[in-house]
Amino acid sequence: MGNKQTIFTAEQLDAYQDCTYFTRKEILRLFDRYRDLAPQLVPLDYTGQPDVKLPYELIGSMPELKDNPFRQRIAEVFSEDGEGNMTLDDFLDMFSVLSEMAPRDLKAYYAFKIYDFNNDDFICQSDLVKTLNKLTRNELTEDEVRMVCEKVIDEADLDNDGRLSLEDFQHMIVRAPDFLSTFHIRI
Amino acid sequence: GNERRKGASRAEEGESQTRPERIDRGRRKRTRSHQDTKGSEGDEEVQPKIQSGRAAKTRKHTKNEKTRKKEEEEKAEKGEGKERHGKRKKTSASKKEREEVGGKHTMKEKAQEVKRKNIIQQMNCIHNSLSSEELEKLKEAVDERKKLIQALRGKPWPIKKKCVILRESQEFVEKYEGALGKGKGRKLYAYKVLMSKALMGRPYGTIPRKTVPRAEATSAMDFAVLWDFGVSCIITLTLTTSCFLQWPFHATFRKMCFQGYAQYSVLFYGYYNNQRAVGWLKFRMPLSYFLVGVGTVAYSYMVVIRTMARNANESGVGDDNSFNFNWRMFTSWDYLIGNPETADNKFASITTSFKEAILEEQESQKDDNIHLTRFLRVLANFLVLCCLAGSGYLIYFVVRRSQKFALDGLENHTWWERNEVNMVMSLLGMFCPMLFDVISALENYHPRVALQWQLGRIFALFLGNLYTFIIALMDEINLKREEENIIKFNITVWEASLFNGTVSVNSTAPPVTIEPADVPRGPCWETMVGQEFVRLIISDTMTTYITLLIGDFLRAVLVRFLNYCWCWDLEAGFPSYSEFDVSGNVLGLIFNQGMIWMGAFYAPCLPALNVLRLHVSMYLQCWAVMCCNVPQERVFKASGSNNFYMAMLLVILFLSTLPAIYTIVTIPPSFDCGPFSGKQRMFDVIQETLESDFPAWFGKVFSYASNPGLVLPFMLLMVLAIYYLQSTSKSYKEANMELKKKLQTVVQNMFPPLVQQSCFNVYF
């Protein structure tokens, strides 16, 4: 395996490997990507676990994320402070969950969080409206938007509370044929 | 959720700062140094990890009253799995202590040694003091922790939390595996972790990947039904190995003609000798040829059906429309998109798809003018039938004409006239689907249904064309067989004349050596069939490439450059760039494979050629897609499950192998070419093998087994089994639906929403 790198200690790398779906090489490569976003902010030595956060603007400008309408929500969900400013841990976490090796249940959990705009642990009507508008770039009329959101809740709401809980969402998403292939970022 | 995380991170900050000290001393030492720096609180570190009640006993041996009370308090408060909070509190408290103690390193090290010995003593104490039942429980706890470590990746916690839990669990496992006397347990565990890392690491991390994802990643996935490639490879491999096994023995093959050398190459049936056993290995060539042919077909069947079964398992419910809007909303955006143009296209297609879904929803209520729709649909089907009949007749006519040309001598005709049949078939295959598309505008179906009809019609077109071609081929085969009879007759006459000419004295006649090259050769209908198929495939390939170059590339060039000086916007209106037609391309692959299956028996190296062709096609189409195509505006899958195309492939496999099997069983092989020459029927080779190579009793058993009196009841039994299995599968499906409904009502009525949420937290 070779201990030529001096960015992390061996224990740190092992811990990262156990906690994410990445291998040693990938973790180092991701660190390089993270550092490339702001070389002056990110030190080359992480053995001391420096507390470095990259602001959301840098994360949102990454080529993998810049065209994604949900990039802000993704950054918010995975960041520690909930504002989108990410540490290296958050960064690794995010790409680990979105990688192809992550299982369906894990992805479903985070997808639910991403689409829950107001962070109330339920996907309610307003969250759906926001999602739809982001997806269609506000091209649908209000009536159409309302109709779609009503249909969505009709279809998936099992406990009849007018909003989607995590369980409703999971029940629906595990049957989706395209979920695993679309909820995937390759880096 | 966020507040929890904030609190945790603050507490963990304290802990993280202690790491640099401990990290370079290794894991085991870390425990000790951790205890060490905490001073008197060191012992307590160990205790919170024991989860079950009998931990009280251990504590009795190793602690004092004060600390134990603290333990129990914490436990009562937080319950299982929350000890880390207590630990964190202690860490932040002891941080100050540690800072004071910072300078006294060497003394610390000595103290460490003492502590280490203490711990070993404690371990032994624990081991000796626990009863076997408690040891069991301890072992369970250790196993649980191990499982937690393995499953850590899939937990929805932030990495910091995972790291903490990981470290704790590892320490716990290490320590108590030692206590349980399993000294090797740690090594085994480390080995397992290493193995799983190594296995995980193999396909990933070594190949550099592009960071910007491909624009057409989604449609490229469908096009990855180039699994055909894999099957072709295997078929090629089998055939080439059997070819090469008898390569050294080609000295025995017959006349070599330099004109049309390929005719006598290993590519075609005619190359193979009918010698029963070849070389010192006694390689049974004819038998091998036969078995390889049959075997590849059987293997193809197996692969297709296995893939279908796997797909059926995965998709589960199959074509499910119950979450239409949900899936459109939550799974339509492709997170792999990294290109603004693609993103624009995707936004547009998502908007269109929503609008269509809304329209459908509204239209499913209303119900207008059924009669007009029905009439139009009948009309459309009638037109399509006319098309199909027309194309079938055209092919038949062209094949007849080419036979006439052949009789006249091929040199007298132009290139077009010589290759008419293949060109016509390819052109029909290109233009008829477009015609069908236009006709289907009359029908006004839902796009998915329309796509299914379209695919069905193209399928019928292809089959019709192919079967017409084969019927025409049959005529040619019969012609050749007649020719053969004439030549056989001529040979006997000629041989008789040779003998008559040279021998004047009857008894001691030197045996006339007849050069094998001089013997007139019979026409080899099998080679002719093989040749026809190869020509068909080559012309098909050429047509595809030329269509690609002209229809896609030239069109794109024209649109791009003429747009500057044209009155209307070429890119937005007609003709614009061509779309990448996923279903069309998949169908093309399937049909190509069908032709290979058909021709493989008579042209053994055809799969090899096809592999080459698929290679080239892949790169060419890859380039064309990137350079000249735009993604389809509306991607409608022909069916929810992946089995639609697989089913088609299966049908094609069956229909393609039918002609080959028919010819094997009915038509006698040529008398002087190929591995079965001289036999009555090709499958006689099996009979021969059974008689000569196997012991006598084997032959008897086989003849009993192939008795119709046995075979027919067996077939009946299989039909009954199919019926039984189908009815059970139907009843399972119904039971499934019932259970689903029940689940919904149970969830709605019995559990309040809060409990449901906590249920899922526990699940994680």
Side-chain angles (χ1 to χ4, degrees):
Chain A
M1 260 159 112
N3 267 330
K4 298 220 181 100
Q5 57 84 26
T6 52
I7 310 170
F8 299 108
T9 65
E11 281 81 11
Q12 277 177 314
L13 267 183
D14 282 343
Y16 279 140
Q17 281 189 67
D18 281 332
C19 296
T20 65
Y21 288 96
F22 293 125
T23 61
R24 196 172 171 275
K25 264 200 187 131
E26 285 170 334
I27 293 172
L28 293 171
R29 193 163 52 83
L30 279 167
F31 174 79
D32 288 332
R33 289 297 305 274
Y34 184 72
R35 189 157 189 276
D36 284 340
L37 294 173
Q40 69 281 20
L41 287 178
V42 179
L44 270 171
D45 186 359
Y46 253 74
T47 53
Q49 303 219 308
D51 185 18
V52 177
K53 270 198 193 142
L54 291 187
Y56 164 68
E57 288 71 30
L58 289 175
I59 306 283
S61 66
M62 288 180 70
E64 286 83 356
L65 288 176
K66 68 174 168 36
D67 293 305
N68 194 323
F70 300 109
R71 59 187 178 280
Q72 177 141 23
R73 277 304 298 162
I74 297 174
E76 285 172 10
V77 163
F78 285 101
S79 62
E80 249 180 68
D81 60 2
E83 308 278 321
N85 306 315
M86 302 183 86
T87 64
L88 179 64
D89 280 352
D90 301 332
F91 191 78
L92 287 174
D93 219 357
M94 175 169 74
F95 285 109
S96 167
V97 169
L98 287 165
S99 72
E100 22 181 20
M101 295 153 287
R104 197 186 281 263
D105 295 327
L106 186 63
K107 288 193 184 213
Y109 177 83
Y110 280 102
F112 181 79
K113 291 206 117 130
I114 288 175
Y115 295 121
D116 180 13
F117 281 76
N118 49 13
N119 281 325
D120 62 351
D121 291 333
F122 287 101
I123 294 183
C124 56
Q125 184 93 357
S126 66
D127 294 330
L128 290 173
V129 167
K130 288 206 194 96
T131 310
L132 190 57
N133 281 327
K134 279 204 192 281
L135 274 176
T136 58
R137 287 203 288 207
N138 298 315
E139 297 246 339
L140 293 181
T141 67
E142 268 198 46
D143 273 341
E144 288 172 335
V145 168
R146 196 176 27 88
M147 206 205 110
V148 169
C149 296
E150 274 171 15
K151 272 300 283 181
V152 164
I153 293 189
D154 259 342
E155 283 174 355
D157 189 14
L158 291 175
D159 47 11
N160 273 333
D161 56 358
R163 50 195 183 163
L164 300 183
S165 62
L166 174 61
E167 182 195 46
D168 298 333
F169 184 80
Q170 275 174 330
H171 179 253
M172 177 272 297
I173 211 86
V174 295
R175 284 163 182 67
D178 295 330
F179 177 59
L180 277 179
S181 56
T182 53
F183 197 72
H184 164 213
I185 293 187
R186 195 183 291 142
I187 178 170
Chain B
N2 275 332
E3 295 83 50
R4 256 183 281 142
R5 227 190 279 144
K6 283 180 193 160
S9 65
R10 247 183 272 122
E12 278 161 338
E13 259 175 31
E15 218 202 39
S16 58
Q17 281 166 19
T18 67
R19 279 193 208 153
E21 260 179 82
R22 287 184 263 124
I23 274 170
D24 35 23
R25 291 184 212 143
R27 241 194 259 149
R28 188 154 255 178
K29 289 180 185 167
R30 225 193 289 152
T31 332
R32 281 170 231 132
S33 63
H34 193 75
Q35 296 178 350
D36 183 40
T37 47
K38 278 191 185 161
S40 62
E41 294 181 357
D43 289 344
E44 299 157 16
E45 231 272 353
V46 169
Q47 304 319 315
K49 297 194 185 106
I50 305 177
Q51 296 181 33
S52 47
R54 46 112 190 94
K57 210 173 181 184
T58 17
R59 287 189 215 137
K60 232 196 283 176
H61 291 270
T62 52
K63 291 179 28 131
N64 52 30
E65 286 296 306
K66 188 175 82 173
T67 47
R68 205 199 316 155
K69 273 200 198 133
K70 218 203 221 168
E71 246 29 85
E72 281 165 19
E73 254 175 49
E74 283 176 18
K75 233 187 154 247
E77 273 176 33
K78 319 245 169 127
E80 278 192 24
K82 303 261 180 172
E83 315 97 7
R84 50 189 171 278
H85 286 293
K87 186 177 149 205
R88 250 181 252 126
K89 279 195 195 148
K90 281 183 254 163
T91 6
S92 30
S94 64
K95 200 175 86 170
K96 291 179 207 146
E97 213 185 74
R98 227 176 294 121
E99 281 164 10
E100 293 169 293
V101 179
K104 303 172 190 166
H105 237 22
T106 46
M107 288 222 345
K108 279 258 154 32
E109 279 170 11
K110 284 185 194 157
Q112 263 177 44
E113 276 298 315
V114 172
K115 279 283 173 188
R116 204 181 305 155
K117 286 187 186 144
N118 278 345
I119 287 168
I120 295 181
Q121 278 177 8
Q122 284 166 20
M123 296 266 215
N124 293 331
C125 268
I126 293 169
H127 188 91
N128 297 332
S129 63
L130 292 178
S131 67
S132 65
E133 167 191 308
E134 285 157 347
L135 268 175
E136 266 305 309
K137 287 197 189 154
L138 186 54
K139 199 163 75 144
E140 264 175 43
V142 167
D143 282 337
E144 228 179 89
R145 284 286 184 161
K146 277 197 211 169
K147 272 190 218 150
L148 179 63
I149 293 177
Q150 293 292 8
L152 202 57
R153 280 188 192 95
K155 301 284 187 198
W157 303 323
I159 284 193
K160 274 209 167 102
K161 180 169 163 184
K162 281 190 206 175
C163 280
V164 169
I165 296 183
L166 178 72
R167 235 175 357 98
E168 276 180 21
S169 308
Q170 280 171 343
E171 287 168 0
F172 180 82
V173 164
E174 234 179 71
K175 181 182 180 209
Y176 283 100
E177 271 196 319
L180 290 172
K182 288 194 282 175
K184 280 192 187 165
R186 183 166 78 95
K187 284 193 192 142
L188 184 63
Y189 168 70
Y191 173 77
K192 271 195 254 178
V193 169
L194 186 70
M195 272 296 109
S196 69
K197 273 190 232 167
L199 287 172
M200 275 275 290
R202 190 159 300 140
Y204 303 101
T206 43
I207 304 168
R209 290 196 213 118
K210 292 198 170 73
T211 51
V212 179
R214 284 287 164 103
E216 260 86 31
T218 40
S219 30
M221 256 172 36
D222 277 349
F223 191 54
V225 170
L226 270 177
W227 71 268
D228 255 354
F229 183 62
V231 173
S232 279
C233 272
I234 296 195
I235 295 183
T236 308
L237 231 63
T238 338
L239 287 169
T240 28
T241 28
S242 70
C243 276
F244 281 123
L245 273 175
Q246 0 117 7
W247 186 260
F249 311 112
H250 70 293
T252 56
F253 81 83
R254 303 166 187 184
K255 169 179 168 187
M256 290 268 291
C257 178
F258 284 98
Q259 217 177 31
Y261 178 84
Q263 187 183 347
Y264 293 95
S265 73
V266 73
L267 181 58
F268 294 112
Y269 176 96
Y271 168 90
Y272 299 94
N273 199 348
N274 77 330
Q275 214 182 336
R276 202 173 156 272
V278 174
W280 60 272
L281 274 174
K282 294 273 182 263
F283 183 69
R284 304 275 187 266
M285 221 252 293
L287 180 68
S288 124
Y289 191 94
F290 187 79
L291 286 180
V292 164
V294 171
T296 45
V297 171
Y299 174 73
S300 307
Y301 267 111
M302 216 180 63
V303 169
V304 174
I305 292 185
R306 206 172 49 183
T307 318
M308 284 180 80
R310 212 180 329 137
N311 284 340
N313 277 338
E314 275 175 20
S315 66
V317 196
D319 216 350
D320 196 352
N321 263 326
S322 47
F323 292 115
N324 201 5
F325 279 91
N326 268 282
W327 290 345
R328 270 176 225 252
M329 184 169 292
F330 295 117
T331 63
S332 56
W333 181 264
D334 184 3
Y335 282 55
L336 274 173
I337 291 178
N339 178 340
E341 241 179 70
T342 320
D344 284 336
N345 281 333
K346 193 70 180 176
F347 282 122
S349 88
I350 291 179
T351 311
T352 318
S353 120
F354 269 111
K355 288 206 166 127
E356 272 171 9
I358 293 173
L359 267 176
E360 244 183 81
E361 191 61 28
Q362 289 169 344
E363 256 171 47
S364 70
Q365 272 89 32
K366 51 179 179 144
D367 197 46
D368 65 343
N369 219 339
I370 282 240
H371 298 289
L372 182 63
T373 326
R374 279 215 196 116
F375 169 71
L376 284 175
R377 285 178 188 172
V378 168
L379 179 65
N381 280 322
F382 175 71
L383 286 172
V384 165
L385 275 172
C386 287
C387 266
L388 288 173
S391 80
Y393 177 70
L394 186 62
I395 291 181
Y396 192 73
F397 172 74
V398 165
V399 170
R400 278 288 186 211
R401 224 156 69 119
S402 78
Q403 281 170 2
K404 252 193 294 162
F405 290 155
L407 287 174
D408 288 347
L410 285 172
E411 302 75 35
N412 301 336
H413 298 279
T414 63
W415 176 86
W416 172 264
E417 280 166 345
R418 264 182 280 152
N419 292 304
E420 207 171 26
V421 179
N422 303 314
M423 297 296 13
V424 164
M425 279 186 71
S426 309
L427 286 171
L428 274 176
M430 210 167 65
F431 288 115
C432 279
M434 293 190 219
L435 198 58
F436 292 158
D437 220 355
V438 169
I439 293 178
S440 73
L442 278 176
E443 287 178 326
N444 199 15
Y445 276 127
H446 180 281
R448 175 177 299 164
V449 177
L451 183 63
Q452 285 174 339
W453 274 96
Q454 175 77 349
L455 291 179
R457 285 172 185 150
I458 298 178
F459 190 77
L461 175 75
F462 169 76
L463 277 178
N465 288 353
L466 206 62
Y467 269 71
T468 318
F469 177 73
I470 286 172
I471 290 173
L473 221 57
M474 287 295 184
D475 283 346
E476 276 191 56
I477 292 178
N478 287 333
L479 265 175
K480 290 253 161 160
R481 284 177 56 210
E482 280 170 21
E483 222 182 287
E484 211 180 275
N485 286 335
I486 296 176
I487 290 195
K488 253 201 261 192
F489 180 70
N490 282 345
I491 284 182
T492 45
V493 166
W494 175 79
E495 276 181 356
S497 72
L498 265 182
F499 273 103
N500 285 342
T502 50
V503 175
S504 43
V505 187
N506 20 17
S507 50
T508 53
V512 182
T513 47
I514 305 177
E515 272 294 320
D518 289 337
V519 178
R521 305 302 307 283
C524 196
W525 63 265
E526 295 100 339
T527 305
M528 186 263 304
V529 169
Q531 282 175 324
E532 286 296 317
F533 272 110
V534 172
R535 282 192 14 220
L536 186 66
I537 288 180
I538 290 180
S539 72
D540 193 49
T541 314
M542 287 297 125
T543 320
T544 313
Y545 292 165
I546 292 177
T547 323
L548 202 67
L549 283 173
I550 296 181
D552 285 359
F553 181 62
L554 212 62
R555 176 169 159 183
V557 163
L558 284 173
V559 167
R560 173 63 68 89
F561 292 114
L562 282 183
N563 208 12
Y564 298 122
C565 48
W566 206 261
C567 20
W568 71 83
D569 188 0
L570 285 173
E571 281 184 9
F574 179 83
S576 82
Y577 298 108
S578 56
E579 279 186 356
F580 181 71
D581 182 15
V582 175
S583 55
N585 276 297
V586 176
L587 263 185
L589 278 175
I590 293 180
F591 293 156
N592 169 244
Q593 190 61 33
M595 289 198 280
I596 299 291
W597 274 320
M598 230 187 251
F601 192 74
Y602 295 110
C605 284
L606 200 55
L609 273 180
N610 199 42
V611 168
L612 216 66
R613 170 227 148 114
L614 284 176
H615 256 109
V616 174
S617 274
M618 184 177 79
Y619 284 111
L620 191 65
Q621 291 201 286
C622 198
W623 163 78
V625 155
M626 287 295 140
C627 159
C628 343
N629 280 345
V630 290
Q632 271 178 318
E633 265 200 24
R634 310 175 328 188
V635 184
F636 272 97
K637 294 184 102 179
S639 142
S641 70
N642 291 325
N643 274 344
F644 181 75
Y645 290 118
M646 282 296 144
M648 223 185 233
L649 194 63
L650 190 65
V651 174
I652 294 233
L653 173 56
F654 176 68
L655 292 170
S656 307
T657 49
L658 221 53
I661 294 178
Y662 174 77
T663 50
I664 290 176
V665 169
T666 24
I667 306 184
S670 301
F671 76 93
D672 73 338
C673 90
F676 307 114
S677 51
K679 301 202 179 28
Q680 266 302 98
R681 292 273 184 273
M682 290 188 195
F683 56 83
D684 282 346
V685 69
I686 300 232
Q687 193 69 11
E688 208 188 296
T689 317
L690 278 177
E691 282 167 13
S692 35
D693 290 330
F694 285 101
W697 57 265
F698 204 84
K700 257 194 228 162
V701 168
F702 212 75
S703 65
Y704 287 150
S706 56
N707 189 351
L710 209 62
V711 171
L712 283 174
F714 183 66
M715 279 175 54
L716 193 64
L717 186 67
M718 290 214 285
V719 169
L720 288 175
I722 291 175
Y723 173 71
Y724 170 73
L725 286 171
Q726 206 193 18
S727 58
T728 45
S729 118
K730 216 191 325 182
S731 69
Y732 284 149
K733 270 198 195 138
E734 282 169 14
N736 240 347
M737 295 301 296
E738 288 285 331
L739 283 172
K740 240 205 303 193
K741 282 190 205 141
K742 250 194 209 172
L743 186 68
Q744 273 198 8
T745 50
V746 161
V747 161
Q748 280 174 16
N749 299 335
M750 289 185 63
F751 295 104
L754 278 176
V755 178
Q756 288 170 30
Q757 267 237 285
S758 60
C759 275
F760 260 94
N761 286 337
V762 168
Y763 166 67
F764 267 131

